[in-house]
Amino acid sequence: MKLIKPFTISLAALLTLSSCNNTSGSDKVITMETPAFNKEGELSLYKASGKLIRTIDVEVADTAFEQETDLKNRDLLKAHQGMLFLYPEEDLRGYFMKDIRYPLDIIFINGDNRIVSFAENTTPLDDSTFLPSQVPAQLVLKINGGLSEEWVIEVGDYVEWKFTN
């Protein structure tokens, strides 16, 4: 009998709480602010020959939360901005475009800072197409779609980056 009484009281409390509703007459809509770009470093892209291609500002994603949050629900990056994902070791990497509103170029970079593969002009809001690195990568740079072609970035080119904060 001791087991039934606490269960009965808990069930009654649950039913009472679940039957509560909003009687104020106002329907509240919860909206989330679009995260602003947070410059945390600078990244320079170089041709394999050593010629500077471009230097951009980067936001760094080096925690599991930041990597999962990604560029989801954000507005378009500026042409001089990107997101740099830092991982502790080289491994095969890959992404979906779920909740990303604009095309990206995803640049996979090995532990020696060499570009090893690309996913270019990805399809926004696509949660069914997996975009893998072709070989293990330790860094991943995401920039607006089409910039890799415009800047003539190729496998074998390399990056250098530094934190500014």
Side-chain angles (χ1 to χ4, degrees):
M1 193 68 165
K2 290 182 182 181
L3 293 176
I4 296 173
K5 190 172 182 180
F7 175 75
T8 306
I9 291 171
S10 297
L11 182 59
L14 180 62
L15 291 173
T16 301
L17 288 173
S18 66
S19 66
C20 293
N21 61 20
N22 182 0
T23 57
S24 67
S26 67
D27 291 328
K28 293 185 180 183
V29 176
I30 298 173
T31 58
M32 294 181 60
E33 262 186 57
T34 300
F37 180 82
N38 179 27
K39 178 182 176 180
E40 297 174 285
E42 292 178 349
L43 180 137
S44 295
L45 296 143
Y46 293 91
K47 296 302 294 173
S49 66
K51 180 182 177 196
L52 177 66
I53 299 170
R54 180 82 46 155
T55 297
I56 62 171
D57 297 334
V58 289
E59 183 170 338
V60 177
D62 59 355
T63 68
F65 176 76
E66 292 166 337
Q67 291 164 355
E68 177 61 30
T69 304
D70 200 335
L71 291 167
K72 294 176 181 168
N73 301 312
R74 293 197 189 201
D75 296 324
L76 190 68
L77 291 167
K78 294 180 180 168
H80 66 278
Q81 295 176 332
M83 181 171 270
L84 180 64
F85 293 72
L86 306 177
Y87 296 97
E89 70 271 334
E90 285 186 1
D91 203 351
L92 293 174
R93 308 277 173 213
Y95 298 91
F96 290 95
M97 290 293 291
K98 179 179 172 40
D99 298 323
I100 298 180
R101 302 175 185 161
Y102 49 91
L104 293 174
D105 287 351
I106 303 172
I107 303 169
F108 298 98
I109 305 162
N110 70 14
D112 294 326
N113 293 333
R114 292 278 174 190
I115 295 171
V116 293
S117 68
F118 295 87
E120 295 182 86
N121 272 318
T122 60
T123 303
L125 305 173
D126 181 356
D127 63 352
S128 62
T129 304
F130 185 67
L131 304 164
S133 61
Q134 303 302 311
V135 296
Q138 188 166 357
L139 309 172
V140 178
L141 176 64
K142 294 185 177 183
I143 57 177
N144 286 332
L147 290 179
S148 293
E149 182 177 357
E150 181 181 323
W151 296 344
V152 194
I153 300 171
E154 301 171 304
V155 169
D157 293 344
Y158 66 96
V159 301
E160 292 180 354
W161 57 274
K162 64 181 178 181
F163 290 110
T164 56
N165 293 0

